[in-house]
Amino acid sequence: MAGASMPTEQIPVRVFGGPTALFTYGGLRFLTDPTFDSPGEYHVPGGQLTKTAAPSAAPDDLGRIDVVLLSHDEHPDNLDESGRALLADVPLTLTTPSGGKRLGAGARGLADWESAELDRPGGGTVTVTGVPAVHGPGPREDVEPVTGQVVGFVLTGDGLPTVYVSGDNASLDAVKEIAARFGPVDTAILFAGAPRFTVLFDNALIVLDSAQAAAAARILGARRVVPVHYDSWEHFTEGRDALVAAFTGAGLLDRLDFGDRGPAEPSGRAAADEGTR
């Protein structure tokens, strides 16, 4: 399946720290992996995660959210207590098949290549397709028993750019599958940060590092990459500087966009245009 046509203007993306970003697409407002808790220690099986920085906005600053795109619900750096509370006020959360069962009312799980058709204000639809994601090294069947199911998303619609949200994915093979069906994409919201844990997979990557994010951008033919999931947590081993260096080395620095940060609504390119779609 070829990607949708690419309008000249790009959608604005607000980033809040960690994996959380907000964008308007086809008149609908989408939020990725909501994490709005304060810095501190968060317990997980076998240890703890340390959040080092507060988000740049609070849930009350966001305004209306139509859909949450939740890559997975089992880790506090992807869905924390504030994020869970926010889900209760959102009409639809799209997530993994197992997460859809755990989260209950308002949540829907998407298997690989399964789509949800969402009505756009004023007519037409947005299609959100669940796409493969592997939260660790090696075959999915070996990784999921350790780190759980994860899902990515591709958004398409008539006259709209193609948007890819990777979720916590470490597999470039999965990216190649997605590119074969949907590439080239306009905007790739790539989870990066090169997280590693000595107790998981012999300290191997469980999400893309910066060089792999640049490789994913090339595979996807991405016109723009908005990285998330690289700051605000101690277990992220590569941050903004590493991303800039990797994209510079790959000759793709002009595609790297760190998004709009802060509680104010984004302004500038495509804001007015997107609001009228």
Side-chain angles (χ1 to χ4, degrees), residues 6-66:
M6 294 187 183
T8 301
E9 301 294 337
Q10 293 171 330
I11 62 169
V13 179
R14 293 170 63 195
V15 296
F16 304 109
T20 310
L22 175 66
F23 60 94
T24 302
Y25 184 86
L28 298 172
R29 304 184 81 233
F30 292 84
L31 183 71
T32 66
D33 287 24
T35 54
F36 293 99
D37 285 354
S38 300
E41 305 295 333
Y42 292 84
H43 294 287
V44 295
Q48 63 185 22
L49 302 178
T50 302
K51 189 170 187 177
T52 58
S56 60
D60 289 346
D61 299 323
L62 304 184
R64 186 190 85 249
I65 304 298
D66 297 302

